[in-house]
Amino acid sequence: MTSREPYLSIVRGDATPEETAALVAALAARTAAQTAAGDSRPPAPRTRPGNWRNPAHRLRVGLPHGPGAWRGAVFPGG
């Protein structure tokens, strides 16, 4: 993360400076409580959703044509 990126961003609603300060204070208190309890594990890494959701996979592709085309349809990549 660069110093130009905000660490916290409110993406919905119109928070006042007081509400933003309360949110930051609550997050800081939670972090301090976890550290005091000995839970210093790093957060779980973010994972990307599987490619099975990709709408392009629902599109059909044309079958190979020409001499020996059946091999390309039955044994792709070979």
Side-chain angles (χ1 to χ4, degrees):
M1 183 180 336
T2 64
S3 62
R4 294 182 183 173
E5 287 185 43
Y7 187 75
L8 179 67
S9 176
I10 299 174
V11 295
R12 186 175 291 173
D14 189 21
T16 64
E18 292 82 14
E19 291 171 333
T20 305
L23 175 62
V24 171
L27 293 174
R30 179 177 179 198
T31 302
Q34 286 178 343
T35 303
D39 188 12
S40 60
R41 293 176 293 171
R46 287 184 158 173
T47 58
R48 294 181 55 196
N51 207 15
W52 63 270
R53 290 190 201 188
N54 188 346
H57 287 281
R58 290 188 288 237
L59 301 174
R60 292 184 179 217
V61 294
L63 294 174
H65 58 280
W70 67 272
R71 286 188 187 96
V74 177
F75 306 109

